[in-house]
Amino acid sequence: MSNDEFRAAMSRLAAGVVLVTAQEPPLDPDDPMAPAGEDVGMTATAFLSVSLDPPLVMVSLRTGSRMDDLLAEQPLWAVSVLTESQRHIAGRFAMKGRISDRLLFEDIPYARGRESGAPLVGGALAALECRTEQTVAAGDHTLVIGRVLTAELPSADGGPLLYFRGRYRQLG
């Protein structure tokens, strides 16, 4: 089986789209005047619920990606479940060779999570804050399993943003 055959088969599996976010630790954690670290975000479709008791979720990150490197040192992160009207956010944070994350967050409404400090997208269908419990190396990806610390439902409007056959889609 070739990579193309595998990719084509998996493109037939519809997936929800989320924005995974985290805040880099301060450059000097011992100095209260040191600037806070930059916000980092990444679009993901490999995200799922793992357990109800305890509440666990999992996200798959490309090994060596900026988010993979950050979550190896920062155990607190967040997930915003995107609505069909937030396709532009998904596309923005999925770009290859993109501009700095600071600029990507610039015109997106968000609030800081009270547990993680990570950005939570305004108007998302759901917002979760997590703490890494376990990581598992899996081929060219790292599976990050996180304990859910908070779960909110910021918006009941609209349907979920989906990814199917290589494109963003909506229900219906």
Side-chain angles (χ1 to χ4, degrees), residues 4-156:
D4 288 341
E5 290 169 324
F6 179 65
R7 188 175 288 118
M10 295 311 299
S11 76
R12 278 20 179 219
L13 177 64
V17 182
V18 301
L19 183 66
V20 179
T21 57
Q23 187 178 51
E24 291 178 327
L27 296 176
D28 184 357
D30 297 326
D31 179 3
M33 302 304 289
E38 187 172 87
D39 293 325
V40 177
M42 180 199 91
T43 301
T45 55
F47 175 77
L48 56 97
S49 170
V50 173
S51 168
L52 182 60
D53 186 19
L56 300 174
V57 294
M58 186 203 73
V59 65
S60 180
L61 307 174
R62 187 176 38 81
T63 302
S65 67
R66 185 165 183 205
M67 188 62 74
D68 181 45
D69 292 344
L70 175 56
L71 294 190
E73 67 176 274
Q74 164 61 285
L76 297 172
W77 45 283
V79 174
S80 298
V81 178
L82 300 180
T83 69
E84 58 199 7
S85 66
Q86 294 174 319
R87 176 186 299 214
H88 65 288
I89 295 172
R92 179 183 293 190
F93 284 90
M95 290 187 304
K96 292 188 184 339
R98 63 188 199 203
I99 57 175
S100 82
D101 284 55
R102 179 180 49 78
L103 295 174
L104 294 178
F105 281 105
E106 208 165 69
D107 63 347
I108 295 174
Y110 67 87
R112 292 230 172 257
R114 65 181 183 271
E115 297 289 329
S116 67
L120 297 168
V121 176
L125 288 176
L128 308 169
E129 291 184 275
C130 306
R131 181 182 61 242
T132 300
E133 292 274 311
Q134 181 180 0
T135 60
V136 178
D140 60 359
H141 277 66
T142 302
L143 306 179
V144 179
I145 299 169
R147 180 179 295 256
V148 178
L149 304 173
T150 67
E152 298 177 5
L153 304 174
S155 176

